[in-house]
Amino acid sequence: MGLFSRHKPKIKVQTTKKDGFSGWVKCADCQELIHASEIQKNLHCCPKCNHHYRLSALQRIHLLADPESFVEWGTELQPSDPLQFKDTEAYSERLKIAQTKSGRSEAAAVGTCRVHGIHIALGVLDFTFMAGSMGSVVGERLTLMIERAIQQELPVVIVSASGGARMQESILSLMQMAKTSAALAKLSEAHLPYISILTNPTTGGVTASFASLGDVIIAEPDALIAFAGPRVVEQTIGQKLPPGAQKSEFLLEKGMVDCIVDRHQLKDRLALILHYLTGNERTFEDDEENLRMLCGTKSSHLPQKLKELLATAEAIVKTAGHSR
């Protein structure tokens, strides 16, 4: 071999690009590269900017409900295509695709669960099922949940993530706005609390009905909450909307929502609110037990004056809790 001969370098050249997901994603908000496992461990929030990604109905239930406490209702109610609607494809086909994609029969999951031990009726909209749109079955499941909550004297919590009423069901979908609102009016008459949780996005007929009727309205950070989206509004009024308009922080400033709660604190804050709204009876039961211990006697033998004071205080707090 000559002094200046060259050896071909032994470099392996990859001629075809490998397909598949590497696990790295670019945050939709801060544009930083983050591994998907980090986002998943962080309750599907960006660990760098705290951008809240959407959760499925099952993920939301796992976030809020105590382990193995959720009992689902209304699964016998299944969607159909009464109008034989067809746009670019038949509605019946869209339903099949949505059911396969989401793993659910409809966009609403309803039932009962416990939140830090407090028994509630819980409804969750799943955006992966036709953008969480409200059709006849969604409205019926939510109404069923509210009516059963009244029978069982349970507070109601509904988590919304929706594009609004389902256009493929036309007027049948719009009727659900009135039906769910009427059911919530009965819940109010029964002096039972309703807490509405708004997530990104909550729009259209859902915002215009049950999502905005909560006794307490909680929003996740930076959530789009509106009847019509910003582009549609700007085209309609011919003006540019203020920065951040229709986001939860803007709506908190204007008084439409009561508080914005980070997903990491959502369960604890929800339990705290539920305790304040429903804990009066339990508090007075505890007080009666404390009086028994103080007096060293059974409840039936409490001094008459103490029993009268306890009954009066309980009546005052119950009246205050039932006022609207």
Side-chain angles (χ1 to χ4, degrees):
M1 304 230 6
L3 182 62
F4 298 102
S5 62
R6 291 172 52 186
H7 294 283
K8 188 175 180 180
K10 296 179 180 180
I11 299 174
K12 186 177 181 181
V13 179
Q14 184 175 316
T15 55
T16 58
K17 187 176 180 180
K18 289 184 178 180
D19 295 328
F21 175 53
S22 65
W24 292 93
V25 295
K26 184 184 283 188
C27 175
D29 190 28
C30 68
Q31 306 299 310
E32 292 282 341
L33 278 177
I34 304 143
H35 202 273
S37 61
E38 289 185 64
I39 297 175
Q40 187 173 2
K41 286 182 207 172
N42 199 36
L43 299 181
H44 293 269
C45 298
C46 174
K48 305 219 171 152
C49 70
N50 202 35
H51 176 70
H52 283 44
Y53 289 91
R54 294 190 193 111
L55 297 179
S56 68
L58 188 59
Q59 289 169 334
R60 184 67 65 176
I61 291 166
H62 286 163
L63 173 71
L64 296 178
D66 293 347
E68 299 181 1
S69 68
F70 184 73
V71 178
E72 190 167 3
W73 292 339
T75 53
E76 71 280 2
L77 301 169
Q78 298 291 318
S80 61
D81 185 11
L83 304 178
Q84 299 297 302
F85 188 92
K86 185 175 182 180
D87 43 54
T88 54
E89 61 183 315
Y91 177 42
S92 57
E93 289 302 313
R94 287 188 183 277
L95 286 172
K96 291 177 184 176
I97 293 169
Q99 288 168 342
T100 301
K101 180 181 177 181
S102 66
R104 303 202 59 82
S105 60
E106 249 296 356
V110 304
T112 58
C113 70
R114 293 187 180 276
V115 178
H116 287 327
I118 302 171
H119 198 194
I120 68 165
L122 176 66
V124 179
L125 296 186
D126 194 331
F127 197 83
T128 59
F129 192 105
M130 296 189 70
S133 53
M134 180 169 61
S136 301
V137 172
V138 170
E140 185 62 25
R141 286 186 181 183
L142 290 173
T143 303
L144 169 71
M145 177 193 71
I146 296 165
E147 290 174 345
R148 286 192 181 177
I150 294 170
Q151 293 172 359
Q152 299 182 21
E153 298 185 339
L154 298 176
V156 170
V157 177
I158 299 179
V159 184
S160 298
S162 176
R166 189 172 299 173
M167 57 168 279
Q168 289 85 356
E169 294 190 23
S170 187
I171 191 65
L172 300 177
S173 175
L174 296 178
M175 287 177 179
Q176 309 312 309
M177 296 171 62
K179 182 163 69 177
T180 53
S181 299
L184 287 171
K186 291 181 180 178
L187 185 79
S188 179
E189 291 171 4
H191 305 299
L192 293 166
Y194 163 44
I195 300 173
S196 179
I197 301 175
L198 311 182
T199 70
N200 184 48
T202 301
T203 60
V206 168
T207 305
S209 56
F210 62 85
S212 298
L213 296 176
D215 298 306
V216 178
I217 300 178
I218 302 171
E220 285 195 331
D222 201 38
L224 175 66
I225 303 165
F227 178 67
R231 179 176 55 84
V232 174
V233 173
E234 288 175 350
Q235 290 176 352
T236 302
I237 66 176
Q239 295 180 19
K240 194 78 176 169
L241 289 173
Q246 300 185 317
K247 289 302 183 77
S248 47
E249 290 75 12
F250 184 86
L251 298 177
L252 176 65
E253 181 186 333
K254 301 302 179 184
M256 182 177 169
V257 302
D258 296 303
C259 58
I260 297 172
V261 182
D262 187 282
R263 187 174 293 165
H264 299 81
Q265 285 84 46
L266 186 57
K267 182 175 181 178
D268 292 341
R269 185 70 64 86
L270 177 61
L272 180 64
I273 294 170
L274 287 167
H275 176 74
Y276 275 124
L277 295 178
T278 65
N280 293 336
E281 290 79 3
R282 289 194 302 276
T283 299
F284 275 95
E285 286 172 3
D286 293 342
D287 285 347
E288 185 172 343
E289 182 61 33
N290 290 336
L291 284 173
R292 287 184 202 149
M293 292 174 65
L294 286 170
C295 297
T297 182
K298 295 181 179 179
S299 177
S300 58
H301 298 117
L302 282 174
Q304 187 60 32
K305 192 64 176 176
L306 282 175
K307 292 174 71 175
E308 289 173 1
L309 287 171
L310 184 64
T312 303
E314 182 172 4
I316 291 171
V317 173
K318 281 186 176 180
T319 302
H322 292 170
S323 63
R324 292 300 189 193

